[in-house]
Amino acid sequence: MADSSDSVSIDMEMYSPRGKEHLIRTSQGIVSVSVFGDPDKPALVTYPDLALNYMSCFQGLFFCPEAYSLLLHNFCIYHISPPGHELGAATMSPDDPVPSVDDLADQVAEVLNFFGLGAVMCMGVTAGAYILTLFAMKYKQRVIGLILVSPLCTAPSWTEWLLNKVMSNLLYFYGMCGVVKELLLKRYFSKELRGCAQVPESDIVQACRRLLDERQSSNVWRFLEAINGRPDISEGLRKLQCRSLIFIGEHSPFHSEAVHMTSKMDRRCTALVEVQACGTMVTEEQPHAMLIPIEYFLMGYGLYKASKVSVSPRSPLSPSCISPDLLSPESMGLKLKPIKTRIPFEV
C-alpha cells in the first residue's frame, strides 16, 4: 500500500516504531496521514481541530497508557492532518483553490481508498469532527461509528463567523501572531489551564503555543476559510446509520452546539458525555475522562477485551459515574444514554 508513486513514506517513532507518515496525493492536493498499529486490525481515523495536527490534538489521549493500550489493541490508527498542517509542512501554493468542507470530506474517502479500507471508526475534534460527520453523511457505508469531541454541525453563528473573520484577516496579513494564538488557545482550553496574571498557564497550553508557532499561517488560513463557510448539516444527522459518542467540555465555547447536535441525532444510538471543568479539547485537557465511555462504546462492536489493569486513579471517571442503562449489554449497540462525568474539586 505504501509503495505507491503517489505517496512518500517517512518513518516515525512517536507511539510505535511501526508508525509511518504517508503523504498521499488526492484530487484536493497532498494530505498527510500518520499510521500506527497493525494494518490488519479495524481502522480508526482521526481528524484534528483548526491549526492542529495529531500531535497537538490527540497526543494527550494517546499518551495516556490506558487509552493507548485500549485503542492500539483494537485498531490501526490513521491520523489525517488537514492539508498543510503536518509536522514540517511547507507553505501551500497561493494558486491552489481553497477547499470546501465537502472537498475535505471527499479527501477522507480518497485516503481510505488509498489504504484499501472499507468501513472505519472515526474520531474528530471540533472542525475535524464536522469533517468526519459530513464524511459519514456522504459515505454512510464507510463509517461504523463516530467519536466526536466538541463537534460542530450548524453554520457559524454571527459571533463565531465574525471571530473567524478576525482570525482570518490577521493570519492573512500578519501570520501566526500573538493575537491569533491567544484566540486559538481560548478556543481549545478552559480558563483554568490558560491561567491569568496570578496563575501561570499550564504545561499543556505552553506546549500547544509552541506547536502553533510551527504552523504555516497561510495553510491555517485555508482551513479556517473552509470551516467558516460550512453549511448547516443538522437536518441530515438523524439519517446517520452509525452509533455516536459525543464528548463536550463544560466550558467549551461549542457546548450548546454539541447539545444541539445530540438532540438532532437518533437518541437510540447516541450518547453525550459532558466533562466538567474542561474546555473544548477534552483529548488534551481531560483524556482520562474519555477512557471508560470509549471502553463501553467499543463493547457494542465486540472490539474491547477486558484488561487486567485497573482504572487509573487519575481518572475523573469511575463505573459508578455511568448511567446503568449505558452499561447494560443490550444497550451497548442499541441505546446509549446521556451521561456526565463528575470531577472532584480539591480545595
Side-chain angles (χ1 to χ4, degrees), residues 279-293:
T280 297
M281 273 214 294
V282 184
T283 51
E284 292 296 300
E285 197 165 340
Q286 294 284 358
H288 284 82
M290 300 179 66
L291 181 59
I292 291 177

Side-chain angles (χ1 to χ4, degrees), residues 33-36 41-47 58 61-62 67 70-72 74-80 112 117 119-124 132 144-147 294 297-298:
V33 183
S34 297
V35 183
F36 298 90
K41 291 184 177 181
L44 171 63
V45 172
T46 76
Y47 210 109
F58 295 103
L61 178 63
F62 283 90
L70 171 67
L71 296 174
L72 265 293
N74 288 291
F75 297 103
C76 181
I77 315 296
Y78 296 80
H79 292 295
I80 301 177
L112 268 57
L117 301 175
V120 301
M121 184 73 71
C122 294
M123 179 187 295
L132 292 180
I144 60 174
L146 289 170
I147 302 173
I294 290 177
F297 183 69
L298 296 184

Side-chain angles (χ1 to χ4, degrees), residues 285-326:
E285 197 165 340
Q286 294 284 358
H288 284 82
M290 300 179 66
L291 181 59
I292 291 177
I294 290 177
E295 285 179 348
Y296 288 112
F297 183 69
L298 296 184
M299 284 182 183
Y301 299 89
L303 293 174
Y304 173 71
K305 293 183 179 180
S307 171
K308 296 181 180 179
V309 180
S310 61
V311 176
S312 169
R314 294 171 292 168
S315 175
L317 285 173
S318 66
S320 62
C321 299
I322 309 299
S323 165
D325 288 340
L326 181 60

Side-chain angles (χ1 to χ4, degrees), residues 125-183:
V125 177
T126 313
Y130 180 95
I131 299 299
L132 292 180
T133 302
L134 181 59
F135 167 71
M137 295 172 65
K138 298 183 70 172
Y139 301 89
K140 293 182 175 64
Q141 302 304 316
R142 307 202 71 172
V143 178
I144 60 174
L146 289 170
I147 302 173
L148 307 175
V149 180
S150 305
L152 306 173
C153 67
T154 64
S157 65
W158 280 110
T159 301
E160 185 195 346
W161 183 88
L162 182 59
L163 181 63
N164 287 345
K165 275 300 179 184
V166 170
M167 280 201 293
S168 180
N169 289 334
L170 289 171
L171 283 166
Y172 190 86
F173 291 107
Y174 301 102
M176 186 61 73
C177 60
V179 175
V180 172
K181 284 188 284 187
E182 292 305 321
L183 291 173

Side-chain angles (χ1 to χ4, degrees), residues 90-101:
T91 301
M92 301 179 71
S93 171
D95 297 329
D96 293 338
V98 175
S100 67
V101 287

Side-chain angles (χ1 to χ4, degrees), residues 28 30-32 47 81-86 92 99 104 107 219-220 222-223:
Q28 306 301 329
I30 294 176
V31 63
S32 170
Y47 210 109
S81 292
H85 282 55
E86 68 272 13
M92 301 179 71
L104 296 175
Q107 189 176 62
N219 300 352
V220 176
R222 292 164 60 86
F223 190 28

